């Protein structure tokens, strides 16, 4: 991230190589919606997933697809669209109607191009957050605003508008945080140049953006139904790592001789939270070992350009140490407000998980008249973690970054 400004001194700026957009942040600007022939056959299935699943035709249609080479998929946006589409098809093929009829083998006509494309993009061959949230959107009116009302997703799973609500609200949170990402070079330069006033103003900007992201997050209640999320969409976002329905993982026919395990899409795959953890000196590695390991693993599910950005931040000057060393009460208070904004986002995420996963899981257990406690699977996130334990650990570690005032 550092680029030489003058002899002996480097100035921080966000280079093009990190694929971070001024307005969109980590999200892909203006994703493509169509692929040229013969890849349009993939698009056709992905666009009709809910109907194909409902009619029991999905697997047969997928098995009819020809084996395609990815050599003619040129350009980053085409490749990202293809990864999104193959991810949707794979999830639908594996989970089908979501009623326990699970397929343990992904046929080679999908597995081979999917794995080759994944290798090219540096992503795993499973639907990731960078696919279904960051590259799965369009504007209805191209000249209109970036608002929920003027946006739609490119592809849906069964569950009506649940996919749209969940993915678009997540995207809008990303966009709200984009303004804070823009401020990061100002913060690092201010620390490097010992400019307290500049740093304080920039930290206020970040706090304001994080508060805005939290406000946007509230829209989830309006657009996502807890019952549909828990009983339908969550199934299609589930992976095959730590999942008792696929204990060995998924066999990618024609690619590997043994099944492979990959985690499902998860908010932990968003670069936003990890980005501000690094910036503010929140040391998640000091928290519960399992939570820290999971966060590190989730980085490998992010686009390599975004992983590299996080690495570059880690090699930058420490904002927290600078603020602590100055002993300035006003600066310390501003820094703490920024950390508290991160804590608030994480607390809210806990509330969402309670409403959308824990409560429906308890209700389902009662309905099934099983044991009093929901199964481990129901309490797990789509990424395969013990959700509440993980989120509370991460929030606790964030709170520990607060500097003692006075």
């Amino acid at each position: 991230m550092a680029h030489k400004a003058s002899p002996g001194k480097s100035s921080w700026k966000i280079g093009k190589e990190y694929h971070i957009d001024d307005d969109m942040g980590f999200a892909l600007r203006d994703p493509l919606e169509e692929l040229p022939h013969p890849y349009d056959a993939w698009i056709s299935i992905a666009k009709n997933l809910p109907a194909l699943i409902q009619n029991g035709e999905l697997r047969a249609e997928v098995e009819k697809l020809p084996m395609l080479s990815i050599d003619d998929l040129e350009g980053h946006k085409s490749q990202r669209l293809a990864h999104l589409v193959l991810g949707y098809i794979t999830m639908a093929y594996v989970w089908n109607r979501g009623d326990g009829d699970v397929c343990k083998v992904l046929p080679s006509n999908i597995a081979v191009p999917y794995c080759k494309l994944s290798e090219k993009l540096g992503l795993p061959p499973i639907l990731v957050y960078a696919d279904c949230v960051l590259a799965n959107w369009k504007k209805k009116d191209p000249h209109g605003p970036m608002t929920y009302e003027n946006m739609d997703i490119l592809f849906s799973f069964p569950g009506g508008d649940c996919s749209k609500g969940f993915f678009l609200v997540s995207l809008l949170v990303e966009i709200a945080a984009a303004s804070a990402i823009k401020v990061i070079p100002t913060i690092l330069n201010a620390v490097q140049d010992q400019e307290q006033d500049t740093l304080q103003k920039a930290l206020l900007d970040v706090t304001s953006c994080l508060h805005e992201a939290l406000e946007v997050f509230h829209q989830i209640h309006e657009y996502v139904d807890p019952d549909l999320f828990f009983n339908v969409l969550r199934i299609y976002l589930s992976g095959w790592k730590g999942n008792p329905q696929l204990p060995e993982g998924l066999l990618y026919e024609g690619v590997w001789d043994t099944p492979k395990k990959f985690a499902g899409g998860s908010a932990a795959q968003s670069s936003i939270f990890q980005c501000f953890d690094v910036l503010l000196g929140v040391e998640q590695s000091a928290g519960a070992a399992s939570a820290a390991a999971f966060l590190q693993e989730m980085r490998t599910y992010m686009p390599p350009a975004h992983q590299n950005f996080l690495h570059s931040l880690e090699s930058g000057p420490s904002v927290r140490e600078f603020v602590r060393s100055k002993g300035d009460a006003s600066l310390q208070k501003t820094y703490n407000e920024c950390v508290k904004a991160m804590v608030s986002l994480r607390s809210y995420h806990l509330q969402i998980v309670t409403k959308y996963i824990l409560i429906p899981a308890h209700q389902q257990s009662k309905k099934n008249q099983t044991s009093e406690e929901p199964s481990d699977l129901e309490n797990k996130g789509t990424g395969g973690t013990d959700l509440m334990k993980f989120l509370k650990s991460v929030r606790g570690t964030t709170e520990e970054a607060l500097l003692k005032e006075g």
Side-chain angles (χ1 to χ4, degrees), residues 336-371:
N336 279 346
E337 288 302 321
C338 213
V339 174
K340 284 174 187 171
M342 283 290 285
V343 173
S344 295
L345 273 165
R346 289 189 154 131
S347 292
Y348 196 68
H349 195 186
L350 276 162
Q351 289 177 36
I352 296 294
V353 165
T354 302
K355 175 178 174 176
Y356 285 85
I357 295 180
L358 296 190
I359 292 171
H362 280 286
Q363 287 169 344
Q364 194 176 76
S365 291
K366 276 185 188 169
K367 212 183 286 178
N368 298 344
Q369 293 184 326
T370 56
S371 61

Side-chain angles (χ1 to χ4, degrees), residues 34-236:
E34 301 291 345
L35 289 172
H37 183 77
Y39 307 109
D40 53 350
W42 295 345
I43 298 271
S44 177
I45 286 183
K47 277 186 174 170
N48 293 299
L49 277 188
L52 289 169
I53 290 169
Q54 190 178 352
N55 298 334
E57 299 167 351
L58 185 275
R59 285 179 177 158
E61 286 302 308
V62 171
E63 285 155 14
K64 279 185 213 162
L65 287 168
M67 170 89 78
L68 299 178
S69 160
I70 63 159
D71 293 346
D72 294 327
L73 277 173
E74 292 173 1
H76 183 71
K77 285 187 176 179
S78 286
Q79 290 165 8
R80 287 286 294 276
L81 175 56
H83 198 268
L84 166 67
V85 165
L86 291 172
Y88 259 84
I89 291 172
T90 295
M91 293 318 223
Y93 190 88
V94 170
W95 303 121
N96 203 24
R97 287 183 169 164
D99 55 4
D101 172 22
V102 178
C103 218
K104 297 178 180 178
V105 181
L106 187 66
S108 57
N109 59 336
I110 288 294
V112 171
Y114 193 21
C115 290
K116 282 186 176 169
L117 180 61
S118 297
E119 191 179 358
K120 202 169 197 173
L121 285 169
L123 292 168
I126 190 169
L127 189 76
V128 293
Y129 184 93
D131 297 319
C132 58
V133 173
L134 303 183
N136 184 26
W137 64 275
K138 65 179 179 182
K139 280 185 180 182
K140 292 174 184 172
D141 171 6
H143 306 293
M146 295 288 287
T147 57
Y148 190 91
E149 293 72 24
N150 190 44
M151 293 170 77
D152 207 345
I153 53 173
L154 306 182
F155 308 101
S156 291
F157 286 113
D161 279 340
C162 192
S163 299
K164 179 182 175 180
F166 189 66
F167 296 148
L168 275 190
V169 171
S170 301
L171 175 70
L172 289 167
V173 170
E174 291 275 337
I175 294 168
S179 305
I181 299 166
K182 265 197 294 202
V183 183
I184 290 174
T186 307
I187 289 173
L188 297 178
N189 286 323
V191 170
Q192 194 167 262
D193 301 338
Q194 308 273 309
E195 293 174 356
Q196 280 185 227
D197 289 349
T198 306
L199 174 62
Q200 194 158 353
K201 184 182 177 303
L203 286 172
L204 285 168
D205 286 344
V206 170
T207 304
S208 170
C209 292
L210 294 177
H211 284 156
E212 192 187 328
L214 181 57
E215 281 303 306
V216 171
F217 208 170
H218 284 102
Q219 294 182 46
I220 198 160
H221 300 288
E222 197 178 331
Y223 298 115
V224 184
D225 175 76
D227 186 53
L228 280 177
F229 176 80
F230 181 79
N231 292 303
V232 184
L233 183 58
R234 187 182 59 98
I235 293 167
Y236 293 101

Side-chain angles (χ1 to χ4, degrees), residues 1-13 185-186 188-195:
M1 192 159 127
H3 296 272
K4 289 290 176 192
S6 57
K9 183 180 175 185
S10 56
S11 172
W12 294 83
K13 62 181 183 186
T186 307
L188 297 178
N189 286 323
V191 170
Q192 194 167 262
D193 301 338
Q194 308 273 309
E195 293 174 356

Side-chain angles (χ1 to χ4, degrees), residues 90-91 94-95 102-106 111 114-115 118 123-127 238-243 245-264 297 301:
T90 295
M91 293 318 223
V94 170
W95 303 121
V102 178
C103 218
K104 297 178 180 178
V105 181
L106 187 66
Y114 193 21
C115 290
S118 297
L123 292 168
I126 190 169
L127 189 76
S238 300
W240 25 94
K241 181 171 187 176
N243 189 336
Q245 292 198 77
L246 281 168
E248 306 298 316
L250 179 69
L251 182 65
Y252 292 78
E253 187 183 67
V255 183
W256 294 295
D257 295 332
T258 54
K260 297 290 174 187
K261 296 178 182 180
F262 294 104
E297 184 195 345
Y301 287 69

Side-chain angles (χ1 to χ4, degrees), residues 299-329:
R299 282 199 188 184
T300 66
Y301 287 69
M302 299 173 187
H306 298 166
Q307 292 180 48
N308 293 340
F309 178 69
L310 295 178
H311 289 313
S312 80
L313 277 186
E314 283 167 337
S315 66
S318 170
V319 176
R320 188 172 187 275
E321 278 310 300
F322 176 79
V323 173
R324 196 181 58 79
S325 69
K326 289 298 166 193
D328 181 296

